[in-house]
Amino acid sequence: MSGFGLIALVPLLPLAAAGLIALLHLTGVIRGEAGEPWTARLALWSAALALLILLGLDLAALIGGTPGSVHLGYWLVSGHFEVAASFMVDALALGIGSLAALIVWLTLRFSVNYMHREAGFHRFFIALCLFASGMQLIVLSGNAAFAFVGWELAGVSSYLLIGYAYERTTATGNALRALVTNRIGDAGFVLGIALAFAWLGSLEWPAIAAGSQQLTSLAAALLGFGFVLAALAKSAQVPFAPWLARALEGPTPSSAIFYGALMVHAGVYLLIRLEPLLEKAPALMGLLALLGALSALYGALAGLTQTDVKSSLIFATTTQVGLMVLACGLGWFTWAAWHLALHAAFRAYQFLAAPSYMHLIAGAARPVPEWLAQRQGLYTAALNRFWLEPMADWLLVRPTRALAQDMRVIDEQVVSRMVGLPEQTRAAAVLDQVEQARQGRQEAVRGYGAAGKLLEWLADHLNHFEQRLVLQTGGGRLAWLLQQLGQWLVALEGLLERPRYLLLLIMATLIVIL
């Protein structure tokens, strides 16, 4: 591998470092405080080599120009469907990639001391290396499929670091919020990939840019909508903004690299990469301008009511990223690219310095501006972050969590019994219920609604039949079968009574239609 083909090593090096650290940790070679230097060296050297490769490619591009893209073979071939192992080597990719590599290296170096003697030191560096690989794939990939792999790697590592302190329910809950919200954007990305292959026959970014000129405005808007949805969710724009403030639950270095400097800008980078496609869809650009302006206003007003350093910085980030999206909506893509680079560098420094601010600032937090304090309605809305968080929880997180609980109930009450898995606790519960039934103390189920009343009537008659005929005659197998049937019916009744399934069905239908 020579020349610009070395760019493939940039995402591979941190990915290899993450795998090697994980392997050594699982095998017990590096554990605890004694293993910290080895983990730090592997992570730092992989990041440093990736940065050096990019700097070398930058110098080669300045001397001889950029090839635009590099094709290294094929990653997947199935019939007419082909995904090439290709990378973008233009001014945008090299510039943002070099900046990302520098910020990754600085953050890793900062984390060596910051995370010293933390119980999850090795786990933290594994996730950070995974993120470095994913972010470089997003920036340097030559096609949408490779970019989506990086998109998912960044999302998974973000989830792991938000829930770093997994023993705390707040951390795991906020990690779930971020995961669920970003899955909507991921669905949009998959939609964009499917339409690009169906209509343009290729997933390469240059092919999408060239082929979009042959599409009608409506087709370009439909194709671009999936990618725009992904960009809005990843960059935490309205209406997906609430997850970003919750993501601060992770350690400060992860806040700096994820939400201050790099991952929050991934959506903006995707929009810049899709400039030719978006210019063919004026309505979509108008939507971007509107949502970008609303996000900037949301971040600015909510940020004025914050009293801690990191929250103030994260809402300032929301404001700045909203301005970038607004610029993309207005067609100022070059301005958005420069804004992205400058903001990423400056905000990374601010987040890394945030722990020191609390020691340097001895006074009270600044008061709310007078013009805002005098408008009680606006102040209350800003203080409550315009109630976007409870709305997002109601629409997305609560149904998802409830669905997971229901799946566990189905697994325990139905699947385990159907496959005949041995469960001593379940067997003891069944015996206890049989004993209660013999003594005439088993409590009848209570149902609500037509279906509930019907099931209650059925349960009562089955209970009567069981007590008078089965138990008294030592039915044995028949008694056991009736017990199973009654429990399945009760579990089914509980599931049917929950209206969230209707909400999930409506949401799924809307996503499919869109």
Side-chain angles (χ1 to χ4, degrees), residues 66-411:
T66 61
S69 63
V70 175
H71 190 285
L72 301 178
Y74 287 95
W75 178 55
L76 175 66
V77 177
S78 178
H80 297 292
F81 182 74
E82 297 178 349
V83 178
S86 58
F87 294 87
M88 294 299 298
V89 191
D90 56 4
L92 177 64
L94 288 176
I96 302 300
S98 300
L99 176 63
L102 176 61
I103 292 175
V104 165
W105 185 83
L106 290 174
T107 305
L108 286 169
R109 184 63 192 88
F110 177 88
S111 302
V112 173
N113 295 331
Y114 188 87
M115 301 298 294
H116 178 51
R117 291 181 176 175
E118 281 281 340
F121 182 93
H122 307 286
R123 176 164 47 90
F124 175 85
F125 276 84
I126 291 171
L128 219 55
C129 288
L130 284 177
F131 169 75
S133 177
M135 191 66 204
Q136 291 294 357
L137 271 177
I138 293 172
V139 174
L140 301 176
S141 292
N143 57 70
F146 259 36
F148 184 69
V149 173
W151 202 267
E152 290 301 293
L153 272 177
V156 169
S157 55
S158 172
Y159 171 77
L160 294 175
L161 287 174
I162 297 172
Y164 172 80
Y166 57 84
E167 68 278 1
R168 297 174 53 224
T169 55
T170 303
T172 55
N174 288 337
L176 177 63
R177 286 180 174 88
L179 181 70
V180 171
T181 304
N182 279 279
R183 292 294 75 77
I184 298 176
D186 296 346
F189 207 123
V190 172
L191 175 64
I193 290 175
L195 293 179
F197 180 76
W199 292 347
L200 303 177
S202 176
L203 301 180
E204 299 294 310
W205 293 129
I208 292 176
S212 62
Q213 305 307 309
Q214 311 301 322
L215 297 176
T216 64
S217 295
L218 178 59
L222 291 175
L223 173 57
F225 176 78
F227 293 117
V228 166
L229 184 63
L232 292 174
K234 189 69 79 176
S235 289
Q237 298 296 282
V238 172
F240 306 107
W243 75 265
L244 189 60
R246 297 279 190 171
L248 295 179
E249 204 53 53
T252 292
S254 64
S255 299
I257 197 171
F258 280 92
Y259 317 115
L262 296 181
M263 196 179 81
V264 75
H265 296 104
V268 179
Y269 178 84
L270 180 62
L271 296 178
I272 297 171
R273 179 59 70 191
L274 293 170
E275 176 183 356
L277 174 63
L278 295 177
E279 288 178 341
K280 285 286 293 183
L284 201 55
M285 292 187 67
L287 178 63
L288 281 175
L290 174 62
L291 294 179
L294 289 175
S295 300
L297 186 61
Y298 162 80
L301 291 174
L304 291 174
T305 64
Q306 304 307 306
T307 57
D308 64 282
V309 175
K310 288 177 68 174
S311 293
S312 298
L313 289 176
I314 206 64
F315 280 103
T317 297
T318 301
T319 300
Q320 296 299 318
V321 176
L323 293 175
M324 297 174 206
V325 174
L326 172 62
C328 292
L330 296 176
W332 304 341
F333 291 95
T334 302
W335 185 89
W338 280 104
H339 190 183
L340 185 158
L342 294 171
H343 179 260
F346 182 62
R347 196 67 76 192
Y349 163 76
Q350 285 187 311
F351 265 99
L352 291 177
S356 301
Y357 288 164
M358 292 180 287
H359 299 283
L360 297 174
I361 301 174
R366 66 180 182 182
V368 176
E370 186 177 352
W371 64 267
L372 181 59
Q374 291 176 351
R375 295 169 172 81
Q376 288 298 316
L378 183 60
Y379 172 72
T380 302
L383 189 62
N384 289 279
R385 302 174 184 179
F386 295 89
W387 297 281
L388 285 180
E389 292 185 11
M391 284 191 290
D393 281 352
W394 184 73
L395 287 172
L396 304 174
V397 179
R398 288 178 57 190
T400 303
R401 182 184 288 126
L403 179 62
Q405 293 174 349
D406 293 343
M407 292 299 101
R408 185 178 63 181
V409 170
I410 292 176
D411 183 64

Side-chain angles (χ1 to χ4, degrees), residues 28-29 46-47 49 55 63 94 109 135 273 278 312 365 414 421 446 464 469 483 492-493:
V29 177
S46 68
L49 288 174
L55 292 177
I63 296 174
L94 288 176
R109 184 63 192 88
M135 191 66 204
R273 179 59 70 191
L278 295 177
S312 298
V414 179
L421 292 178
R446 292 291 177 261
H464 176 78
L469 299 177
Q483 286 282 344
L492 178 61
E493 177 198 16

